[in-house]
């Protein structure tokens, strides 16, 4: 979809005055059946996932996988050298599974370390970051999103998107400064 | 400064308000500030030109830091003989400083992780700077075990790396656990801190005026745009990082205490050490948070965000953890007596009446036990001068405590013929003072270049951030929801 002046359309967007207004608008857009849209706010709004019809984030599964990897890495890292490569008797104590509690602290630390890295990279990759360019940044008002602006954008690639319907919906929910955001 | 010490406006407001209003929670952001006020005030600290006091203080602390770095260079190039270590005291200021600094770090993680899991919303205005404090304290801590090995260039032996000698570290050693615990703690703290910073870096990016700032903040903000589809994963990651940091922080000081507890020395060989050390770490760390935050809020006029109620709550945590610590002190004496072990009994007799008697009386007894008792009184918790005095006592007291545990345990062990006294050298002393300089310099750089309060998190605790906060409804129920004027 292109505008008369030849710009590719990314989305129809509006600004809302308060988190409350944005929350109510999100419910209306969800009920209208749109799938490719997002709300933008300077802070996470409590209950917005439900208002948008989004489920629980599956990031926790990635972190669990990271944690298990960390634990297994530590087990191999500790028992490989201690048991096979370089058996070392200290205090006359065995170096095998018989003294396994003494190996626990490093297993624990490695589990936490790998889980934390998994969480850190997962939230970026799942969010498509780092991505320094985005069509929303073409809208001058959007600068306020990191200050006190609350925005809603319905993307043009949504199968239900028509310029008229999207604009009408945003108007009806109290959106202000309704505009088309260009792709380029 | 004087009229801020008693907060007359707050006390007056509480006294005059109706019973209905008094049972309401104190707002976390005073004077009904709105979102853009929060942004302006906090980014203003970074965006203004560096004030003169900043240059003066930074020059001073950077000089101290360079003296510390000189001492490190001197010690590395000459040898550990430049320190006062000798038989029988083989660990003294180095490990004392290590435990002191790593303990300070723990308060930052407590605020950012444990209070987050406990839904303590007041943490939002202090967590960013407390986490920064954690990172800088752990950096200072990491210096000491690094250099006390003597031949620093061999420190890579600590890492389990394949090498052509075919040797591997002993993974059952508490010192090896320390390597993993401290390095994991630092790494996870950095990840958590940076994750929290990203939305605020986006704020700075969107407000930057110069090209270089726009470029740098832009790079580090990763292109964050605050979409709820982003916040959803972000919040889950934040929650999980908090959940991971919570057992991690408890494990780190437990592992530090194992360095002592797994030995056979009287006063060290005790099972009370892990909880005792963790409580002491949080106790000392909160004192350091207040030491840094009270001047910061006075200088940057952040009284509406770091309110008297915040200071009050932190003082209560100091009192609570101080009580744990005092209980542990008492229990050590009881166990020494109850065990019937003559070495253990002598060690504690020696702690109070031996050559280091005044370390115990001033450091552990007065600074750590007596001074926090002031926080039983509301007036003391609300008076910044009293709070600052107690925090300074606790900062010093916690250093003394570690010194007493380490040197006090070593200097008179089983054989009187091998007793001795530790004498610190100028290198010992200036290395420690140097780390104080490194710590304060890093903190000054932090307040200068990064938002010292987590804006995106403080905004959540303002009433109108709640999606059910209806402006029209609120104007009819001024007590319940805070009134219409908040939105203006």
């Amino acid at each position: 979809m292109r505008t008369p002046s030849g710009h590719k359309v990314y989305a129809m967007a509006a600004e809302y005055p308060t988190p409350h207004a944005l929350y109510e608008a999100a419910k209306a857009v969800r009920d209208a059946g749109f799938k490719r849209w997002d709300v933008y706010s300077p802070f996470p709004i409590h209950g917005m996932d439900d208002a948008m019809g989004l489920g629980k984030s599956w990031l926790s599964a990635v972190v669990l996988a990271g944690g298990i990897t960390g634990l297994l890495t530590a087990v191999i890292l500790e028992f490989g050298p201690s048991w096979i490569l370089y058996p070392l008797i200290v205090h006359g104590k065995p170096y095998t599974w018989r003294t396994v509690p003494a190996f626990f602290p490093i297993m624990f630390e490695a589990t936490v370390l790998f889980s934390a890295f998994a969480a850190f990279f997962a939230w970026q990759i799942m969010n498509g970051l780092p991505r320094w360019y985005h069509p929303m940044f073409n809208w001058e008002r959007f600068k306020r999103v990191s200050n006190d602006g609350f925005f809603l954008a319905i993307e043009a690639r949504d199968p239900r998107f028509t310029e008229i319907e999207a604009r009408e919906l945003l108007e009806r929910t109290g959106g202000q400064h309704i505009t088309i955001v260009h792709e380029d | 400064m004087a009229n801020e010490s008693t907060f007359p406006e707050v006390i007056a407001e509480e006294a005059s308000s109706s019973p209905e209003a008094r049972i309401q929670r104190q707002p976390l952001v005073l004077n009904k500030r709105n979102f853009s006020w929060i942004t302006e005030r906090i980014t203003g600290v970074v965006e203004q030109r560096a004030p003169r006091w900043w240059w003066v203080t930074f020059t001073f602390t950077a000089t101290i830091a360079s003296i510390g770095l000189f001492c490190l260079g001197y010690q590395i190039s000459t040898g550990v003989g430049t320190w006062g270590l000798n038989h029988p005291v083989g660990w003294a200021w180095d490990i004392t400083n290590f435990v002191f600094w790593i303990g300070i770090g723990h308060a930052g993680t407590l605020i950012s992780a444990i209070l987050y899991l406990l839904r303590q919303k007041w943490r939002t205005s202090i967590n960013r700077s407390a986490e920064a404090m954690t990172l800088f304290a752990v950096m200072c801590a990491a210096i000491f075990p690094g250099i006390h090995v003597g031949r620093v260039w061999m420190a890579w032996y600590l890492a389990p790396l394949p090498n052509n000698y075919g040797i591997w570290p002993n993974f059952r050693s508490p010192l090896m656990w320390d390597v993993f615990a401290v390095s994991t703690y630092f790494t996870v703290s950095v990840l958590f801190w940076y994750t929290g910073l990203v939305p605020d870096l986006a704020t700075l990016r969107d407000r930057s005026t110069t090209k270089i700032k726009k470029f740098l903040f832009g790079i580090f903000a990763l292109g964050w745009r605050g979409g709820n589809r982003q916040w959803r994963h972000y919040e889950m990651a934040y929650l999980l990082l908090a959940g991971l940091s919570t057992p991690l922080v408890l494990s780190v000081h437990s592992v530090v205490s194992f360095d002592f507890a797994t030995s056979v020395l009287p006063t060290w060989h005790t099972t009370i050490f892990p909880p005792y050390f963790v409580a002491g770490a949080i106790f000392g760390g909160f004192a350091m948070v207040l030491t840094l935050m009270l001047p910061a809020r006075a200088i940057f006029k952040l009284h509406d965000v770091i309110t008297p109620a915040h200071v009050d709550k932190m003082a209560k945590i100091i009192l609570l953890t101080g009580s744990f610590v005092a209980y542990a002190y008492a229990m050590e004496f009881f166990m020494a007596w109850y065990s019937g072990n003559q070495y253990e009994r002598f060690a504690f007799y020696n702690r109070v009446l031996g050559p280091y008697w005044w370390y115990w009386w001033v450091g552990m007894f007065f600074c750590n036990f007596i001074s926090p008792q002031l926080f039983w009184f509301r007036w003391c918790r609300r008076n910044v001068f009293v709070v600052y005095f107690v925090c300074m006592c606790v900062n010093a007291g916690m250093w003394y405590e570690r010194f007493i545990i380490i040197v006090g345990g070593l200097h008179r062990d089983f054989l009187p013929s091998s007793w001795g006294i530790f004498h610190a050298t100028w290198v010992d002393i200036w290395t420690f003072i140097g780390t104080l300089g490194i710590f304060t310099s890093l903190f000054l750089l932090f307040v200068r270049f990064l938002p010292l309060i987590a804006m995106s998190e403080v905004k959540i605790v303002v009433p109108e951030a709640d999606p059910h906060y209806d402006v029209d409804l609120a104007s009819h129920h001024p007590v319940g929801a805070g009134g219409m004027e908040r939105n203006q």
Side-chain angles (χ1 to χ4, degrees), chain A residues 17-21 23-24 27 35-49 52 54-60 63 77-79 81-82 85-86 88-91 93-96 99 101-103 105-106 108-113 115-117 119-120 122-124 126-134 136-137 142-148 150, chain B residues 35-37 39-40 160 165-173 176-177 180-185 187-188 190-192 194-195 198-199 202-208 214 218-238 240-241 244-245 247-248 251-252 255 258 262 455-457 459-460 464-471 487:
Chain A
T18 62
H20 174 69
Y23 179 77
E24 296 300 328
K27 285 200 281 194
K35 291 287 169 235
R36 293 198 175 269
W37 59 288
D38 205 352
V39 301
Y40 300 88
S41 55
F43 49 84
I45 294 169
H46 190 74
M48 189 56 97
D49 291 351
M52 286 181 71
L54 302 173
K56 178 175 161 284
S57 168
W58 49 276
L59 185 135
S60 44
V63 177
L77 181 74
E78 290 189 280
F79 284 115
S82 302
L85 296 173
Y86 194 67
L88 191 65
I89 296 175
V90 182
H91 294 171
K93 288 172 194 156
Y95 44 77
T96 60
T99 48
F103 291 95
I106 292 177
F108 171 78
E109 303 297 341
T111 309
V112 170
L113 183 67
S115 310
F117 270 114
F120 181 72
W123 78 256
Q124 291 179 36
M126 289 164 74
N127 285 340
L129 297 177
R131 178 182 175 181
W132 290 284
Y133 166 76
H134 192 270
M136 285 306 283
F137 294 133
F142 192 68
K143 271 200 160 93
R144 295 175 67 99
V145 74
S146 58
N147 177 9
D148 61 351
F150 302 90
Chain B
F35 300 131
S36 74
W37 182 90
T39 313
E40 294 285 333
Y165 306 112
I167 56 171
W168 290 86
N170 172 21
F171 294 102
R172 287 162 291 163
S173 162
M176 199 61 209
W177 303 345
F180 277 86
V182 174
S183 53
T184 300
Y185 182 47
T187 313
V188 174
V190 172
L191 298 180
F192 196 15
Y194 180 66
T195 298
V198 166
T203 305
L204 288 170
R205 171 200 65 197
D206 292 344
R207 294 170 56 89
S208 338
K214 197 164 266 181
I219 291 285
F220 287 108
L222 305 173
W224 180 260
R225 52 188 187 274
N228 191 56
R229 287 172 200 272
Q230 293 188 324
W231 282 120
R232 186 166 74 108
H233 298 310
Y234 176 91
E235 280 204 289
M236 179 59 88
Y238 199 93
L240 289 171
L241 283 171
L244 290 164
S245 301
L248 177 65
S251 85
V252 173
V255 165
F258 290 156
T262 55
M455 292 178 277
S456 65
E457 293 188 48
K459 285 172 189 169
I460 304 175
E464 57 263 40
D466 190 321
H468 304 292
Y469 178 88
D470 192 325
V471 181
N487 255 36

Side-chain angles (χ1 to χ4, degrees), chain B residues 72 83 92-106 132-149 158 178-179 181-183 185-186 252-253 256 259 281 399 402 431-432 434-440 442:
Chain B
L72 291 179
W83 290 345
W93 281 49
D94 49 350
I95 303 301
T96 302
N97 297 339
F98 164 66
V99 182
F100 172 76
W101 280 120
I102 200 103
I104 282 174
H106 283 46
M133 179 200 77
T134 295
L135 298 181
F136 306 146
V138 177
M139 283 179 197
C140 291
I143 291 173
F144 290 99
I147 55 169
H148 99 301
V149 297
L158 292 166
D178 237 7
V179 173
V182 174
S183 53
Y185 182 47
F186 182 73
V252 173
H253 229 55
V256 169
D259 294 345
W399 191 89
R402 276 69 176 252
T431 309
F432 174 57
T435 54
L436 291 170
I438 294 171
F439 177 74
T440 36
L442 288 170

Side-chain angles (χ1 to χ4, degrees), chain B residues 134-382:
Chain B
T134 295
L135 298 181
F136 306 146
V138 177
M139 283 179 197
C140 291
I143 291 173
F144 290 99
I147 55 169
H148 99 301
V149 297
R151 286 179 282 175
V152 184
W153 50 95
M154 309 292 262
W156 65 274
Y157 271 23
L158 292 166
L161 293 171
N163 56 61
N164 56 2
Y165 306 112
I167 56 171
W168 290 86
N170 172 21
F171 294 102
R172 287 162 291 163
S173 162
L175 299 180
M176 199 61 209
W177 303 345
D178 237 7
V179 173
F180 277 86
V182 174
S183 53
T184 300
Y185 182 47
F186 182 73
T187 313
V188 174
S189 298
V190 172
L191 298 180
F192 196 15
W193 185 64
Y194 180 66
T195 298
L197 259 175
V198 166
D200 283 3
L201 290 171
T203 305
L204 288 170
R205 171 200 65 197
D206 292 344
R207 294 170 56 89
S208 338
T209 43
T210 64
K211 210 162 187 161
I212 182 131
K213 272 190 187 170
K214 197 164 266 181
F215 177 76
L216 284 175
F217 286 133
I219 291 285
F220 287 108
L222 305 173
W224 180 260
R225 52 188 187 274
N228 191 56
R229 287 172 200 272
Q230 293 188 324
W231 282 120
R232 186 166 74 108
H233 298 310
Y234 176 91
E235 280 204 289
M236 179 59 88
Y238 199 93
L239 174 71
L240 289 171
L241 283 171
L244 290 164
S245 301
T246 299
L248 177 65
V249 69
L250 301 180
S251 85
V252 173
H253 229 55
S254 298
V255 165
V256 169
S257 79
F258 290 156
D259 294 345
F260 306 102
T262 55
S263 76
V264 293
L265 220 56
T267 73
W268 286 15
H269 187 60
T270 145
T271 49
I272 203 176
F273 261 25
Y276 166 22
F277 269 51
V278 172
I282 293 164
F283 175 58
F286 261 85
M288 187 58 92
V289 172
L290 279 168
T291 307
L292 297 171
M293 289 319 288
L294 288 179
R297 84 175 190 144
I299 292 165
F300 301 122
K301 311 235 180 319
L302 298 169
H303 298 85
D304 288 342
V305 185
I306 304 169
T307 67
H310 286 90
V311 180
D312 187 282
K313 287 190 174 87
M314 285 193 270
K316 280 178 182 163
I317 290 183
I318 289 179
L319 178 62
L320 175 74
T321 48
S323 306
F324 292 166
V325 170
Y327 170 79
Y329 292 172
M331 190 48 69
E332 282 188 307
F333 282 101
F334 171 75
M335 289 312 294
W337 168 76
Y338 189 66
S339 69
N341 180 316
Q342 58 166 324
Y343 299 110
E344 198 74 26
R345 283 186 179 183
F346 171 76
F348 281 94
Y349 169 81
N350 188 50
R351 175 176 284 187
V352 181
L353 297 169
Y356 293 108
W357 62 272
W358 69 270
Y359 283 71
W360 188 83
W361 285 102
V362 174
M364 288 170 89
F365 186 74
F366 175 76
C367 292
N368 288 354
F369 170 60
I370 299 291
S371 76
Q373 305 307 321
L374 287 172
F375 287 159
W376 287 106
F377 306 101
R378 183 188 151 88
W379 184 86
C380 294
R381 295 195 305 267
R382 300 250 162 180

